[in-house]
Amino acid sequence: MTLQQEGNPIIFTNGDNDTFPLWYNQDTEGVRTDARVCNLSYLQTDWYIDQMRRPAYDSPSVPITWQRIEYCAGTNEYVQIDPSLKQEVLALYEEQPEEARKQFGDEPFELKNILKYWVRSTTPDFHVIPTDTLYMTIDKEAVQRSGMMIQDSIPDRMVISLKGKSALYKGDLMMLEMIDQCNWTRPIYVATTVGAENYMNLGDNFIQEGLANRITPFTTKDTDLKNFDTAKTFDNVTKRFKFGNVSQPGIYLDETVLRMCYTHRRLLAQLALHLADEGEDEKAAQILALAEKEIPTYNVPADFASGSLDIARTYVAIGQNDKAKACIDELWQKSSQYMQWYCSLNGPRFAGYQRDCQMHLYVMQLLVQIADDIDEKTGEQYAKKFEGTFRAYQAKGGNFSY
């Protein structure tokens, strides 16, 4: 686990492959017994919430203040989101401010007030979330002490968007409860393998620290703020990662293990590219050498999904053009072979592979751009090869714009 060393961190996982290895590490190997692994699939159930509310190993209980009757089976399985009530609530605060504050708290859409006065309400009319935007007032001193990467300035409020959701389910509500109660002094992470559909829109506030995304008060999506902690990720990768035996020539890697290898190579590629962007060429070269040594392409083939394009870009950025050329050659050969096979098909069979064709053509376009960054001659060579592939595709009736 690539979590902060202090503060009894919590990490949300979702499936077998990102949960059971962590449980094994804690239970059998005694690794990071101060941290709490919380599986989102199970967090929809009362018995698992009971477990989270108890200490485990060296980890204190997860800060859920709800009484059991508020989350037992059949209770708060989901709470509807109804943004149309927002104006009514605001009107009440304007027309009857004292009554509104008495009934719903000082700030109408503050996370703690929504959880207390609306979600946990026993009054049917109020058992709803009357907004699609929640706010959390930030304890700036707690953020400063937290150990997270601090941006230029700490915001006064964290914005939690619920747009696109019609309801929050029990697991979502427990996540929000933990965020509210931890107050940044207990780090909260989401494994990078957890799909976006499982954590509301909290990805807007992620900062990546390796194979885990830290939930922060900073809105990092679609802003100039960094969402990748290069220093911590470099430290995690070089000092705490263990790569096992993937580098043994001829070792068998099944489909599931191969996907996890792609995940790790993709992280190394991201890290190397960030280091190069920050002018840390020596460290970037160190990470690329580590990827080449521990996750070699003779066992884990170069692939668009495994970050190989970023590896090629980084080689160019740090002036190792020969290695960049070797990388794009390997990727080109793979896409070219697929395109030759697709173009050998006829009629419905060819039509059925249009999505795959377009993906490979897109990859080849990107490779042309990287080749052009190496030097003009290499770029021209790849552009010519792309034109030949594209014409063969068009001749079969394919449709792709570039």
Side-chain angles (χ1 to χ4, degrees), residues 146-217:
S146 68
M148 72 175 65
M149 185 178 74
I150 305 298
Q151 308 281 4
D152 292 338
S153 62
I154 301 173
D156 296 323
R157 298 192 303 179
M158 175 183 177
V159 179
I160 302 174
S161 172
L162 304 180
K163 286 182 171 59
K165 300 188 72 67
S166 59
L168 293 185
Y169 292 84
K170 188 174 294 183
D172 302 324
L173 298 171
M174 293 300 107
M175 286 185 75
L176 292 175
E177 166 76 356
M178 290 184 222
I179 291 170
D180 180 52
Q181 294 297 323
C182 282
N183 190 34
W184 315 115
T185 58
R186 188 169 183 180
I188 303 180
Y189 292 86
V190 179
T192 58
T193 47
V194 176
E197 68 277 7
N198 297 299
Y199 49 73
M200 296 168 282
N201 293 314
L202 291 169
D204 294 352
N205 297 83
F206 281 173
I207 293 179
Q208 190 172 345
E209 297 182 6
L211 289 173
N213 292 308
R214 186 173 190 153
I215 299 175
T216 77

Side-chain angles (χ1 to χ4, degrees), residues 15-149:
D16 297 354
N17 295 329
D18 59 6
T19 304
F20 297 157
L22 302 186
W23 283 346
Y24 167 84
N25 258 355
Q26 289 186 313
D27 198 43
T28 305
E29 304 293 341
V31 174
R32 293 305 304 270
T33 53
D34 61 308
R36 181 62 65 97
V37 178
C38 184
N39 182 282
L40 293 174
S41 300
Y42 294 157
L43 198 60
Q44 309 287 349
T45 65
D46 53 5
W47 60 267
Y48 189 69
I49 297 172
D50 290 342
Q51 284 188 15
M52 292 296 100
R53 295 182 67 194
R54 295 195 291 267
Y57 308 110
D58 298 314
S59 165
S61 60
V62 165
I64 295 174
T65 63
W66 295 30
Q67 299 298 313
R68 195 179 196 283
I69 196 170
E70 295 178 292
Y71 64 80
C72 63
T75 304
N76 280 318
E77 296 297 340
Y78 70 93
V79 178
Q80 182 182 359
I81 299 170
D82 188 354
S84 67
L85 297 174
K86 188 172 186 176
Q87 293 305 316
E88 293 181 36
V89 174
L90 291 173
L92 178 63
Y93 271 78
E94 185 175 338
E95 295 164 7
Q96 305 178 47
E98 291 186 10
E99 178 63 25
R101 289 188 176 90
K102 181 179 178 181
Q103 195 167 7
F104 302 121
D106 291 338
E107 296 291 336
F109 307 123
E110 180 83 13
L111 173 59
K112 65 180 179 181
N113 291 333
I114 291 292
L115 291 174
K116 180 178 179 179
Y117 296 109
W118 294 87
V119 172
R120 298 169 69 178
S121 173
T122 56
T123 304
D125 289 345
F126 296 149
H127 191 239
V128 65
I129 298 174
T131 177
D132 58 5
T133 307
L134 306 177
Y135 302 97
M136 183 176 172
T137 300
I138 301 302
D139 181 343
K140 296 188 180 184
E141 291 184 1
V143 174
Q144 289 283 4
R145 298 192 303 268
S146 68
M148 72 175 65
M149 185 178 74

Side-chain angles (χ1 to χ4, degrees), residues 12-14 85 136 150 233 249 255 263 349 365 383 385 392:
F12 292 115
T13 59
N14 193 61
L85 297 174
M136 183 176 172
I150 305 298
T233 304
E255 183 181 356
T263 297
R349 293 189 68 199
Q365 276 187 309
K385 289 195 289 186

Side-chain angles (χ1 to χ4, degrees), residues 330-359:
E330 192 169 359
L331 288 165
W332 186 276
Q333 182 180 21
K334 183 172 186 174
S335 288
S336 179
Q337 288 175 343
Y338 270 107
M339 287 303 299
Q340 287 176 27
W341 184 76
Y342 294 141
C343 289
S344 72
L345 304 176
N346 293 311
R349 293 189 68 199
F350 175 73
Y353 283 103
Q354 286 308 292
R355 185 173 180 180
D356 298 76
C357 287
Q358 291 170 11
M359 186 272 288

